[in-house]
Amino acid sequence: MKQVIEVKRAGGDASRVVIGGTLRSLDDYLPRGAKAIVVTDANVHRRYKELIDRYDYCLIGMGETIKTLATADKLYGELLDRGADRSTFLVGIGGGIVTDITGFVASTYMRGLRFGFVATTLLAQVDASVGGKNGVNYEGYKNIVGTFNQPDFVLCDLSMLDTLPEREFRAGLAEIVKAGLIADRTLFELFERHSFEDFRTDRALLTDALTRAVRVKTDIVERDERESGERRKLNLGHTFAHAIEKCGHDFLHGEAVAIGTAMIARLSAKEGRLPAEDAVRVEQALARMGLPVESGIDIRKLTRALKFDKKKDAASVGFVLLDGIGECGIRRMDFDEIDLLHETLA
C-alpha cells in the first residue's frame, strides 16, 4: 500500500513523497508529453538498466568528491547536446548525491526545469531528496552553493533498499533517529525497542519509521520552506557532522550525523537543557544501530571548521540543541563560545 505525503509549494501544485511500490509506475508521475532525461550514476544504471534505458540519460560519477560545480557544468553541456529546453523534465535516480546534483542543475538550467526523484538509498528517501534543498560542494564545504526548489515528486520504493550495503542502511537510520529527536518521541523510541536487524528485515516497521520521519521533515518544510526559522531544526547534528566531514573522510554522511547528534546530546546536557539520562539514551540508541558516536578528531580542529559552516553569520554559528526527546531549539554561539567547546565536551 502506498503512502502519499504532500508538501505545499509556493505558487504551484504540492510536491509529493510517495512511499511504497513505485518503481514500476514512474511514467505515471511524469508530465504528459514532456521529454524526460534521467540523471544517474553507473552503479544505479547497472542495477536498474531496464528502467533507465527507457529514457535518455546522463551518467555522473560516484562519491562526495564529484558533487561539484564541475559535475554541474558537465551536465549543462550534455543537456544542451540533447536539446533540452524549458519543457524538459529531469529525473534523478539514485542516492543523495545524484538527487542533490539533479535538483541543482534542474533549478539553474535555463532558469529552471521541473524535476523529480527516484530515491534509491535510505538516506535519500528519508532526507536528502525530500524538502527542496539542492546543492553542490565548493572548496571542501558541504552544499555551500545551492537552491531551494521542491521536486514534483520523490518516489521511495523500499524494495530498492534490499540490495543496499549494510553500512549505507545504517547511515540512513541515523537521519530517522534525528527526525525522532526533533519532533517525534514515539519514532525515537522505536530505536530503543528494536534491533538493527528488525529494521533491516521488517518491511512494516521500516515503512512506519520512514513515513514518520518524512512527516517530521515535510511538516517543518511546509512552515518554513527557505530555512528562515523553524526549518533550521532539521540541522540537528549537522553542524558538527559537516565539520567532521571537512576534517576527515572516514565517515559516510549519516555516520557523521550520528556522531554530531551524540555530540549535541552531550552539549545539551552540559548546558542543562537535556536531562543527562536522555543524553545517554540518545547515544545508546545510535550505538544500538551500529552507528559511531565518536569521531576521534581533535575537538579544536572541529571547532575551527565550525566557524566556516554555512549556517554561520558574521561571528556566530547556529546550533540545534535538544530540550528533550522529541523537542529541540536553536541557539547561536559566538566564536568565543565555540573556542571553549573543547572544554565543555571534554
Side-chain angles (χ1 to χ4, degrees):
M1 183 176 177
K2 295 177 184 176
Q3 300 271 354
V4 180
I5 301 170
E6 293 194 343
V7 192
K8 293 176 184 175
R9 294 189 290 183
D13 295 334
S15 174
R16 291 178 292 169
V17 182
V18 187
I19 300 169
T22 58
L23 193 57
R24 297 180 182 276
S25 56
L26 174 58
D27 283 346
D28 295 341
Y29 297 92
L30 298 175
R32 288 188 178 181
K35 175 182 175 63
I37 298 179
V38 168
V39 178
T40 190
D41 63 44
N43 190 43
V44 174
H45 176 252
R46 187 163 50 248
R47 188 162 291 160
Y48 300 103
K49 182 175 174 61
E50 183 179 347
L51 168 68
I52 293 169
D53 283 356
R54 289 166 25 198
Y55 309 96
D56 199 354
Y57 65 87
C58 304
L59 292 180
I60 62 173
M62 293 180 285
E64 191 72 27
T65 58
I66 65 91
K67 205 173 88 168
T68 62
L69 288 169
T71 299
D73 183 67
K74 170 182 177 293
L75 286 173
Y76 295 142
E78 292 193 30
L79 291 175
L80 284 170
D81 290 343
R82 287 162 168 75
D85 58 25
R86 291 289 297 277
S87 68
T88 301
F89 191 94
L90 293 193
V91 184
I93 303 180
I97 291 170
V98 167
T99 59
D100 269 3
I101 291 175
T102 303
F104 177 76
V105 168
S107 299
T108 51
Y109 181 81
M110 291 191 173
R111 295 190 176 91
L113 307 181
R114 294 173 65 188
F115 63 100
F117 299 140
V118 178
T120 63
T121 69
L122 183 55
L123 189 71
Q125 291 183 1
V126 74
D127 185 66
S129 65
V130 177
K133 274 188 176 181
N134 316 286
V136 296
N137 306 332
Y138 183 75
E139 298 293 334
Y141 294 101
K142 292 263 302 178
N143 302 320
I144 204 75
V145 181
T147 66
F148 288 98
N149 193 17
Q150 299 268 8
D152 281 21
F153 59 78
V154 181
L155 305 186
C156 303
D157 191 320
L158 271 65
S159 69
M160 302 182 90
L161 306 180
D162 291 343
T163 55
L164 193 66
E166 187 173 285
R167 185 182 179 192
E168 290 189 30
F169 191 91
R170 292 183 195 275
L173 289 179
E175 290 283 0
I176 302 180
V177 174
K178 179 204 79 173
L181 289 170
I182 291 170
D184 188 339
R185 186 184 186 94
T186 300
L187 172 57
F188 174 80
E189 289 171 348
L190 291 178
F191 292 91
E192 297 184 302
R193 297 199 306 270
H194 295 279
S195 67
F196 169 77
E197 194 61 26
D198 290 340
F199 284 99
R200 188 69 164 162
T201 60
D202 187 334
R203 184 61 54 83
L205 173 64
L206 182 61
T207 299
D208 180 36
L210 177 60
T211 303
R212 282 179 171 274
V214 170
R215 287 195 187 281
V216 167
K217 183 165 188 177
T218 56
D219 285 351
I220 290 174
V221 168
E222 278 196 338
R223 294 193 295 272
D224 181 18
E225 186 174 6
R226 299 184 65 83
E227 201 173 54
S228 59
E230 189 176 3
R231 183 168 179 165
R232 294 172 185 173
K233 291 180 179 178
L234 296 172
N235 293 319
L236 177 67
H238 282 64
T239 302
F240 282 123
H242 289 162
I244 290 165
E245 290 174 294
K246 177 155 182 63
C247 294
H249 304 286
D250 297 330
F251 300 106
L252 299 177
H253 176 67
E255 293 170 337
V257 169
I259 297 167
T261 301
M263 294 177 73
I264 283 295
R266 294 196 293 270
L267 179 59
S268 300
K270 291 276 190 180
E271 292 218 337
R273 298 176 67 126
L274 181 72
E277 59 269 25
D278 283 349
V280 172
R281 288 175 65 192
V282 171
E283 291 200 46
Q284 289 178 339
L286 292 166
R288 186 179 176 83
M289 294 301 109
L291 289 160
V293 294
E294 300 280 358
S295 71
I297 300 170
D298 186 274
I299 187 65
R300 292 176 178 83
K301 188 174 181 181
L302 292 179
T303 55
R304 285 195 294 272
L306 284 173
K307 295 177 184 179
F308 293 94
D309 190 273
K310 65 180 180 297
K311 294 174 284 297
K312 76 177 182 68
D313 60 19
S316 68
V317 175
F319 283 79
V320 184
L321 298 177
L322 290 169
D323 296 317
I325 304 297
E327 300 177 63
C328 61
I330 301 163
R331 182 167 95 74
R332 300 208 71 84
M333 290 190 183
D334 63 34
F335 287 176
D336 289 340
E337 288 181 281
I338 290 171
D339 286 337
L340 295 174
L341 282 177
H342 69 277
E343 297 178 5
T344 307
L345 293 173

PDB file of all heavy atoms in Angstrom, residues 126-160:
ATOM      1  N   VAL A 126      14.741   9.296   3.153  1.00  0.00           N
ATOM      2  CA  VAL A 126      14.279   9.937   4.382  1.00  0.00           C
ATOM      3  C   VAL A 126      14.667  11.403   4.469  1.00  0.00           C
ATOM      4  O   VAL A 126      14.015  12.185   5.153  1.00  0.00           O
ATOM      5  CB  VAL A 126      14.805   9.167   5.618  1.00  0.00           C
ATOM      6  CG1 VAL A 126      16.293   9.412   5.842  1.00  0.00           C
ATOM      7  CG2 VAL A 126      14.029   9.550   6.867  1.00  0.00           C
ATOM      8  N   ASP A 127      15.720  11.795   3.747  1.00  0.00           N
ATOM      9  CA  ASP A 127      16.233  13.148   3.979  1.00  0.00           C
ATOM     10  C   ASP A 127      16.710  13.860   2.716  1.00  0.00           C
ATOM     11  O   ASP A 127      16.174  14.889   2.351  1.00  0.00           O
ATOM     12  CB  ASP A 127      17.374  13.097   4.998  1.00  0.00           C
ATOM     13  CG  ASP A 127      17.873  14.469   5.378  1.00  0.00           C
ATOM     14  OD1 ASP A 127      17.102  15.226   5.998  1.00  0.00           O
ATOM     15  OD2 ASP A 127      19.025  14.802   5.054  1.00  0.00           O
ATOM     16  N   ALA A 128      17.721  13.325   2.052  1.00  0.00           N
ATOM     17  CA  ALA A 128      18.423  14.096   1.021  1.00  0.00           C
ATOM     18  C   ALA A 128      17.525  14.547  -0.116  1.00  0.00           C
ATOM     19  O   ALA A 128      17.680  15.656  -0.642  1.00  0.00           O
ATOM     20  CB  ALA A 128      19.599  13.279   0.468  1.00  0.00           C
ATOM     21  N   SER A 129      16.573  13.701  -0.516  1.00  0.00           N
ATOM     22  CA  SER A 129      15.747  14.045  -1.680  1.00  0.00           C
ATOM     23  C   SER A 129      14.466  14.781  -1.306  1.00  0.00           C
ATOM     24  O   SER A 129      13.724  15.227  -2.184  1.00  0.00           O
ATOM     25  CB  SER A 129      15.385  12.771  -2.450  1.00  0.00           C
ATOM     26  OG  SER A 129      14.564  11.931  -1.668  1.00  0.00           O
ATOM     27  N   VAL A 130      14.195  14.916  -0.013  1.00  0.00           N
ATOM     28  CA  VAL A 130      12.935  15.486   0.467  1.00  0.00           C
ATOM     29  C   VAL A 130      13.154  16.913   0.962  1.00  0.00           C
ATOM     30  O   VAL A 130      14.105  17.181   1.695  1.00  0.00           O
ATOM     31  CB  VAL A 130      12.350  14.627   1.613  1.00  0.00           C
ATOM     32  CG1 VAL A 130      11.067  15.250   2.161  1.00  0.00           C
ATOM     33  CG2 VAL A 130      12.096  13.197   1.139  1.00  0.00           C
ATOM     34  N   GLY A 131      12.310  17.847   0.564  1.00  0.00           N
ATOM     35  CA  GLY A 131      12.349  19.179   1.155  1.00  0.00           C
ATOM     36  C   GLY A 131      12.844  20.294   0.279  1.00  0.00           C
ATOM     37  O   GLY A 131      12.723  21.462   0.627  1.00  0.00           O
ATOM     38  N   GLY A 132      13.448  19.966  -0.886  1.00  0.00           N
ATOM     39  CA  GLY A 132      13.771  21.015  -1.837  1.00  0.00           C
ATOM     40  C   GLY A 132      15.111  21.701  -1.688  1.00  0.00           C
ATOM     41  O   GLY A 132      15.367  22.701  -2.342  1.00  0.00           O
ATOM     42  N   LYS A 133      15.996  21.182  -0.818  1.00  0.00           N
ATOM     43  CA  LYS A 133      17.356  21.715  -0.775  1.00  0.00           C
ATOM     44  C   LYS A 133      18.190  20.987  -1.815  1.00  0.00           C
ATOM     45  O   LYS A 133      18.279  19.762  -1.804  1.00  0.00           O
ATOM     46  CB  LYS A 133      17.979  21.483   0.605  1.00  0.00           C
ATOM     47  CG  LYS A 133      17.694  22.540   1.639  1.00  0.00           C
ATOM     48  CD  LYS A 133      18.545  22.239   2.879  1.00  0.00           C
ATOM     49  CE  LYS A 133      18.414  23.282   3.936  1.00  0.00           C
ATOM     50  NZ  LYS A 133      19.272  22.977   5.104  1.00  0.00           N
ATOM     51  N   ASN A 134      18.798  21.751  -2.723  1.00  0.00           N
ATOM     52  CA  ASN A 134      19.625  21.167  -3.774  1.00  0.00           C
ATOM     53  C   ASN A 134      20.942  21.921  -3.798  1.00  0.00           C
ATOM     54  O   ASN A 134      20.948  23.151  -3.786  1.00  0.00           O
ATOM     55  CB  ASN A 134      18.944  21.308  -5.139  1.00  0.00           C
ATOM     56  CG  ASN A 134      17.465  20.972  -5.092  1.00  0.00           C
ATOM     57  OD1 ASN A 134      17.104  19.813  -4.997  1.00  0.00           O
ATOM     58  ND2 ASN A 134      16.605  21.994  -5.128  1.00  0.00           N
ATOM     59  N   GLY A 135      22.048  21.210  -3.829  1.00  0.00           N
ATOM     60  CA  GLY A 135      23.302  21.948  -3.809  1.00  0.00           C
ATOM     61  C   GLY A 135      24.505  21.099  -4.157  1.00  0.00           C
ATOM     62  O   GLY A 135      24.427  19.877  -4.291  1.00  0.00           O
ATOM     63  N   VAL A 136      25.638  21.794  -4.299  1.00  0.00           N
ATOM     64  CA  VAL A 136      26.920  21.141  -4.544  1.00  0.00           C
ATOM     65  C   VAL A 136      27.935  21.700  -3.558  1.00  0.00           C
ATOM     66  O   VAL A 136      27.731  22.743  -2.929  1.00  0.00           O
ATOM     67  CB  VAL A 136      27.404  21.359  -5.999  1.00  0.00           C
ATOM     68  CG1 VAL A 136      26.460  20.704  -6.986  1.00  0.00           C
ATOM     69  CG2 VAL A 136      27.558  22.847  -6.315  1.00  0.00           C
ATOM     70  N   ASN A 137      29.028  20.966  -3.417  1.00  0.00           N
ATOM     71  CA  ASN A 137      30.094  21.380  -2.514  1.00  0.00           C
ATOM     72  C   ASN A 137      31.065  22.306  -3.239  1.00  0.00           C
ATOM     73  O   ASN A 137      31.184  22.279  -4.467  1.00  0.00           O
ATOM     74  CB  ASN A 137      30.840  20.154  -1.986  1.00  0.00           C
ATOM     75  CG  ASN A 137      29.912  19.135  -1.343  1.00  0.00           C
ATOM     76  OD1 ASN A 137      28.860  19.498  -0.821  1.00  0.00           O
ATOM     77  ND2 ASN A 137      30.291  17.872  -1.379  1.00  0.00           N
ATOM     78  N   TYR A 138      31.791  23.090  -2.448  1.00  0.00           N
ATOM     79  CA  TYR A 138      32.779  24.005  -3.033  1.00  0.00           C
ATOM     80  C   TYR A 138      33.934  24.173  -2.060  1.00  0.00           C
ATOM     81  O   TYR A 138      33.708  24.489  -0.884  1.00  0.00           O
ATOM     82  CB  TYR A 138      32.139  25.366  -3.340  1.00  0.00           C
ATOM     83  CG  TYR A 138      33.073  26.335  -4.016  1.00  0.00           C
ATOM     84  CD1 TYR A 138      33.399  26.181  -5.357  1.00  0.00           C
ATOM     85  CD2 TYR A 138      33.644  27.392  -3.310  1.00  0.00           C
ATOM     86  CE1 TYR A 138      34.258  27.060  -5.989  1.00  0.00           C
ATOM     87  CE2 TYR A 138      34.513  28.277  -3.934  1.00  0.00           C
ATOM     88  CZ  TYR A 138      34.825  28.114  -5.280  1.00  0.00           C
ATOM     89  OH  TYR A 138      35.689  28.972  -5.895  1.00  0.00           O
ATOM     90  N   GLU A 139      35.152  23.928  -2.563  1.00  0.00           N
ATOM     91  CA  GLU A 139      36.360  24.082  -1.745  1.00  0.00           C
ATOM     92  C   GLU A 139      36.252  23.318  -0.413  1.00  0.00           C
ATOM     93  O   GLU A 139      36.698  23.785   0.627  1.00  0.00           O
ATOM     94  CB  GLU A 139      36.637  25.570  -1.471  1.00  0.00           C
ATOM     95  CG  GLU A 139      36.908  26.402  -2.706  1.00  0.00           C
ATOM     96  CD  GLU A 139      38.210  26.023  -3.388  1.00  0.00           C
ATOM     97  OE1 GLU A 139      39.115  25.506  -2.704  1.00  0.00           O
ATOM     98  OE2 GLU A 139      38.328  26.224  -4.616  1.00  0.00           O
ATOM     99  N   GLY A 140      35.652  22.140  -0.474  1.00  0.00           N
ATOM    100  CA  GLY A 140      35.565  21.296   0.712  1.00  0.00           C
ATOM    101  C   GLY A 140      34.388  21.595   1.616  1.00  0.00           C
ATOM    102  O   GLY A 140      34.171  20.870   2.597  1.00  0.00           O
ATOM    103  N   TYR A 141      33.592  22.621   1.329  1.00  0.00           N
ATOM    104  CA  TYR A 141      32.461  22.973   2.180  1.00  0.00           C
ATOM    105  C   TYR A 141      31.180  22.392   1.595  1.00  0.00           C
ATOM    106  O   TYR A 141      30.874  22.578   0.414  1.00  0.00           O
ATOM    107  CB  TYR A 141      32.358  24.492   2.346  1.00  0.00           C
ATOM    108  CG  TYR A 141      33.529  25.048   3.103  1.00  0.00           C
ATOM    109  CD1 TYR A 141      34.582  25.673   2.447  1.00  0.00           C
ATOM    110  CD2 TYR A 141      33.611  24.889   4.487  1.00  0.00           C
ATOM    111  CE1 TYR A 141      35.676  26.153   3.146  1.00  0.00           C
ATOM    112  CE2 TYR A 141      34.709  25.361   5.186  1.00  0.00           C
ATOM    113  CZ  TYR A 141      35.741  25.997   4.511  1.00  0.00           C
ATOM    114  OH  TYR A 141      36.829  26.452   5.202  1.00  0.00           O
ATOM    115  N   LYS A 142      30.421  21.706   2.456  1.00  0.00           N
ATOM    116  CA  LYS A 142      29.249  20.955   2.032  1.00  0.00           C
ATOM    117  C   LYS A 142      28.116  21.880   1.595  1.00  0.00           C
ATOM    118  O   LYS A 142      27.726  22.797   2.325  1.00  0.00           O
ATOM    119  CB  LYS A 142      28.743  20.086   3.195  1.00  0.00           C
ATOM    120  CG  LYS A 142      29.666  18.956   3.569  1.00  0.00           C
ATOM    121  CD  LYS A 142      29.277  17.647   2.931  1.00  0.00           C
ATOM    122  CE  LYS A 142      27.886  17.215   3.270  1.00  0.00           C
ATOM    123  NZ  LYS A 142      27.538  15.953   2.578  1.00  0.00           N
ATOM    124  N   ASN A 143      27.589  21.628   0.397  1.00  0.00           N
ATOM    125  CA  ASN A 143      26.352  22.270  -0.077  1.00  0.00           C
ATOM    126  C   ASN A 143      26.387  23.791   0.043  1.00  0.00           C
ATOM    127  O   ASN A 143      25.369  24.434   0.296  1.00  0.00           O
ATOM    128  CB  ASN A 143      25.147  21.722   0.714  1.00  0.00           C
ATOM    129  CG  ASN A 143      25.021  20.216   0.587  1.00  0.00           C
ATOM    130  OD1 ASN A 143      25.221  19.653  -0.482  1.00  0.00           O
ATOM    131  ND2 ASN A 143      24.698  19.552   1.680  1.00  0.00           N
ATOM    132  N   ILE A 144      27.562  24.366  -0.159  1.00  0.00           N
ATOM    133  CA  ILE A 144      27.720  25.805   0.027  1.00  0.00           C
ATOM    134  C   ILE A 144      27.136  26.591  -1.153  1.00  0.00           C
ATOM    135  O   ILE A 144      26.861  27.783  -1.057  1.00  0.00           O
ATOM    136  CB  ILE A 144      29.219  26.150   0.243  1.00  0.00           C
ATOM    137  CG1 ILE A 144      29.372  27.471   0.991  1.00  0.00           C
ATOM    138  CG2 ILE A 144      29.988  26.145  -1.054  1.00  0.00           C
ATOM    139  CD1 ILE A 144      29.076  27.400   2.454  1.00  0.00           C
ATOM    140  N   VAL A 145      26.940  25.918  -2.299  1.00  0.00           N
ATOM    141  CA  VAL A 145      26.310  26.530  -3.467  1.00  0.00           C
ATOM    142  C   VAL A 145      25.034  25.747  -3.756  1.00  0.00           C
ATOM    143  O   VAL A 145      25.090  24.533  -3.971  1.00  0.00           O
ATOM    144  CB  VAL A 145      27.240  26.489  -4.699  1.00  0.00           C
ATOM    145  CG1 VAL A 145      26.565  27.147  -5.899  1.00  0.00           C
ATOM    146  CG2 VAL A 145      28.575  27.144  -4.400  1.00  0.00           C
ATOM    147  N   GLY A 146      23.881  26.408  -3.723  1.00  0.00           N
ATOM    148  CA  GLY A 146      22.659  25.639  -3.919  1.00  0.00           C
ATOM    149  C   GLY A 146      21.409  26.480  -4.041  1.00  0.00           C
ATOM    150  O   GLY A 146      21.462  27.712  -4.113  1.00  0.00           O
ATOM    151  N   THR A 147      20.283  25.784  -4.066  1.00  0.00           N
ATOM    152  CA  THR A 147      18.984  26.420  -4.248  1.00  0.00           C
ATOM    153  C   THR A 147      17.961  25.780  -3.306  1.00  0.00           C
ATOM    154  O   THR A 147      18.161  24.690  -2.790  1.00  0.00           O
ATOM    155  CB  THR A 147      18.462  26.231  -5.695  1.00  0.00           C
ATOM    156  OG1 THR A 147      18.206  24.838  -5.922  1.00  0.00           O
ATOM    157  CG2 THR A 147      19.464  26.736  -6.718  1.00  0.00           C
ATOM    158  N   PHE A 148      16.840  26.487  -3.115  1.00  0.00           N
ATOM    159  CA  PHE A 148      15.646  25.906  -2.517  1.00  0.00           C
ATOM    160  C   PHE A 148      14.629  25.745  -3.645  1.00  0.00           C
ATOM    161  O   PHE A 148      14.173  26.723  -4.226  1.00  0.00           O
ATOM    162  CB  PHE A 148      15.056  26.825  -1.441  1.00  0.00           C
ATOM    163  CG  PHE A 148      15.869  26.899  -0.174  1.00  0.00           C
ATOM    164  CD1 PHE A 148      16.745  27.953   0.043  1.00  0.00           C
ATOM    165  CD2 PHE A 148      15.745  25.927   0.797  1.00  0.00           C
ATOM    166  CE1 PHE A 148      17.485  28.042   1.214  1.00  0.00           C
ATOM    167  CE2 PHE A 148      16.481  25.996   1.967  1.00  0.00           C
ATOM    168  CZ  PHE A 148      17.348  27.048   2.181  1.00  0.00           C
ATOM    169  N   ASN A 149      14.287  24.506  -3.958  1.00  0.00           N
ATOM    170  CA  ASN A 149      13.343  24.263  -5.044  1.00  0.00           C
ATOM    171  C   ASN A 149      12.808  22.847  -4.895  1.00  0.00           C
ATOM    172  O   ASN A 149      13.574  21.884  -4.914  1.00  0.00           O
ATOM    173  CB  ASN A 149      14.022  24.432  -6.405  1.00  0.00           C
ATOM    174  CG  ASN A 149      13.038  24.503  -7.551  1.00  0.00           C
ATOM    175  OD1 ASN A 149      11.848  24.730  -7.352  1.00  0.00           O
ATOM    176  ND2 ASN A 149      13.531  24.302  -8.758  1.00  0.00           N
ATOM    177  N   GLN A 150      11.489  22.727  -4.726  1.00  0.00           N
ATOM    178  CA  GLN A 150      10.901  21.416  -4.466  1.00  0.00           C
ATOM    179  C   GLN A 150      10.770  20.577  -5.741  1.00  0.00           C
ATOM    180  O   GLN A 150      10.378  21.097  -6.798  1.00  0.00           O
ATOM    181  CB  GLN A 150       9.494  21.597  -3.882  1.00  0.00           C
ATOM    182  CG  GLN A 150       9.452  22.352  -2.576  1.00  0.00           C
ATOM    183  CD  GLN A 150       9.535  21.413  -1.392  1.00  0.00           C
ATOM    184  OE1 GLN A 150       9.775  20.225  -1.534  1.00  0.00           O
ATOM    185  NE2 GLN A 150       9.346  21.961  -0.218  1.00  0.00           N
ATOM    186  N   PRO A 151      11.052  19.271  -5.649  1.00  0.00           N
ATOM    187  CA  PRO A 151      10.764  18.382  -6.782  1.00  0.00           C
ATOM    188  C   PRO A 151       9.263  18.183  -6.930  1.00  0.00           C
ATOM    189  O   PRO A 151       8.500  18.380  -5.978  1.00  0.00           O
ATOM    190  CB  PRO A 151      11.442  17.063  -6.365  1.00  0.00           C
ATOM    191  CG  PRO A 151      11.375  17.081  -4.867  1.00  0.00           C
ATOM    192  CD  PRO A 151      11.562  18.530  -4.468  1.00  0.00           C
ATOM    193  N   ASP A 152       8.824  17.806  -8.118  1.00  0.00           N
ATOM    194  CA  ASP A 152       7.414  17.457  -8.297  1.00  0.00           C
ATOM    195  C   ASP A 152       7.066  16.221  -7.475  1.00  0.00           C
ATOM    196  O   ASP A 152       5.963  16.121  -6.934  1.00  0.00           O
ATOM    197  CB  ASP A 152       7.107  17.191  -9.772  1.00  0.00           C
ATOM    198  CG  ASP A 152       6.929  18.475 -10.565  1.00  0.00           C
ATOM    199  OD1 ASP A 152       7.407  19.534 -10.110  1.00  0.00           O
ATOM    200  OD2 ASP A 152       6.318  18.420 -11.656  1.00  0.00           O
ATOM    201  N   PHE A 153       7.997  15.276  -7.418  1.00  0.00           N
ATOM    202  CA  PHE A 153       7.747  14.042  -6.671  1.00  0.00           C
ATOM    203  C   PHE A 153       9.058  13.448  -6.173  1.00  0.00           C
ATOM    204  O   PHE A 153      10.133  13.715  -6.721  1.00  0.00           O
ATOM    205  CB  PHE A 153       7.017  13.013  -7.541  1.00  0.00           C
ATOM    206  CG  PHE A 153       7.747  12.613  -8.799  1.00  0.00           C
ATOM    207  CD1 PHE A 153       8.810  11.714  -8.761  1.00  0.00           C
ATOM    208  CD2 PHE A 153       7.389  13.138 -10.027  1.00  0.00           C
ATOM    209  CE1 PHE A 153       9.493  11.348  -9.920  1.00  0.00           C
ATOM    210  CE2 PHE A 153       8.064  12.789 -11.200  1.00  0.00           C
ATOM    211  CZ  PHE A 153       9.122  11.889 -11.136  1.00  0.00           C
ATOM    212  N   VAL A 154       8.937  12.661  -5.121  1.00  0.00           N
ATOM    213  CA  VAL A 154      10.017  11.800  -4.638  1.00  0.00           C
ATOM    214  C   VAL A 154       9.413  10.415  -4.481  1.00  0.00           C
ATOM    215  O   VAL A 154       8.466  10.222  -3.706  1.00  0.00           O
ATOM    216  CB  VAL A 154      10.578  12.259  -3.276  1.00  0.00           C
ATOM    217  CG1 VAL A 154      11.709  11.332  -2.830  1.00  0.00           C
ATOM    218  CG2 VAL A 154      11.060  13.705  -3.331  1.00  0.00           C
ATOM    219  N   LEU A 155       9.911   9.453  -5.230  1.00  0.00           N
ATOM    220  CA  LEU A 155       9.414   8.083  -5.153  1.00  0.00           C
ATOM    221  C   LEU A 155      10.350   7.256  -4.279  1.00  0.00           C
ATOM    222  O   LEU A 155      11.559   7.199  -4.532  1.00  0.00           O
ATOM    223  CB  LEU A 155       9.311   7.458  -6.555  1.00  0.00           C
ATOM    224  CG  LEU A 155       8.482   8.233  -7.588  1.00  0.00           C
ATOM    225  CD1 LEU A 155       8.355   7.420  -8.878  1.00  0.00           C
ATOM    226  CD2 LEU A 155       7.098   8.590  -7.049  1.00  0.00           C
ATOM    227  N   CYS A 156       9.787   6.640  -3.257  1.00  0.00           N
ATOM    228  CA  CYS A 156      10.555   5.854  -2.292  1.00  0.00           C
ATOM    229  C   CYS A 156      10.049   4.421  -2.317  1.00  0.00           C
ATOM    230  O   CYS A 156       9.068   4.081  -1.634  1.00  0.00           O
ATOM    231  CB  CYS A 156      10.405   6.433  -0.884  1.00  0.00           C
ATOM    232  SG  CYS A 156      10.879   8.164  -0.724  1.00  0.00           S
ATOM    233  N   ASP A 157      10.681   3.588  -3.130  1.00  0.00           N
ATOM    234  CA  ASP A 157      10.322   2.179  -3.216  1.00  0.00           C
ATOM    235  C   ASP A 157      11.258   1.400  -2.305  1.00  0.00           C
ATOM    236  O   ASP A 157      12.452   1.283  -2.580  1.00  0.00           O
ATOM    237  CB  ASP A 157      10.434   1.699  -4.663  1.00  0.00           C
ATOM    238  CG  ASP A 157       9.820   0.325  -4.875  1.00  0.00           C
ATOM    239  OD1 ASP A 157       9.990  -0.543  -3.993  1.00  0.00           O
ATOM    240  OD2 ASP A 157       9.184   0.103  -5.921  1.00  0.00           O
ATOM    241  N   LEU A 158      10.717   0.859  -1.220  1.00  0.00           N
ATOM    242  CA  LEU A 158      11.569   0.212  -0.226  1.00  0.00           C
ATOM    243  C   LEU A 158      12.226  -1.062  -0.745  1.00  0.00           C
ATOM    244  O   LEU A 158      13.216  -1.524  -0.170  1.00  0.00           O
ATOM    245  CB  LEU A 158      10.774  -0.079   1.054  1.00  0.00           C
ATOM    246  CG  LEU A 158      10.783   1.062   2.086  1.00  0.00           C
ATOM    247  CD1 LEU A 158      10.081   2.303   1.548  1.00  0.00           C
ATOM    248  CD2 LEU A 158      10.129   0.636   3.392  1.00  0.00           C
ATOM    249  N   SER A 159      11.705  -1.641  -1.827  1.00  0.00           N
ATOM    250  CA  SER A 159      12.357  -2.825  -2.399  1.00  0.00           C
ATOM    251  C   SER A 159      13.754  -2.489  -2.914  1.00  0.00           C
ATOM    252  O   SER A 159      14.617  -3.371  -3.013  1.00  0.00           O
ATOM    253  CB  SER A 159      11.509  -3.413  -3.532  1.00  0.00           C
ATOM    254  OG  SER A 159      11.495  -2.559  -4.667  1.00  0.00           O
ATOM    255  N   MET A 160      14.000  -1.209  -3.236  1.00  0.00           N
ATOM    256  CA  MET A 160      15.315  -0.802  -3.715  1.00  0.00           C
ATOM    257  C   MET A 160      16.358  -0.868  -2.607  1.00  0.00           C
ATOM    258  O   MET A 160      17.560  -0.849  -2.876  1.00  0.00           O
ATOM    259  CB  MET A 160      15.251   0.613  -4.303  1.00  0.00           C
ATOM    260  CG  MET A 160      14.259   0.771  -5.437  1.00  0.00           C
ATOM    261  SD  MET A 160      14.229   2.432  -6.159  1.00  0.00           S
ATOM    262  CE  MET A 160      15.466   2.255  -7.431  1.00  0.00           C
TER     263      MET A 160
END
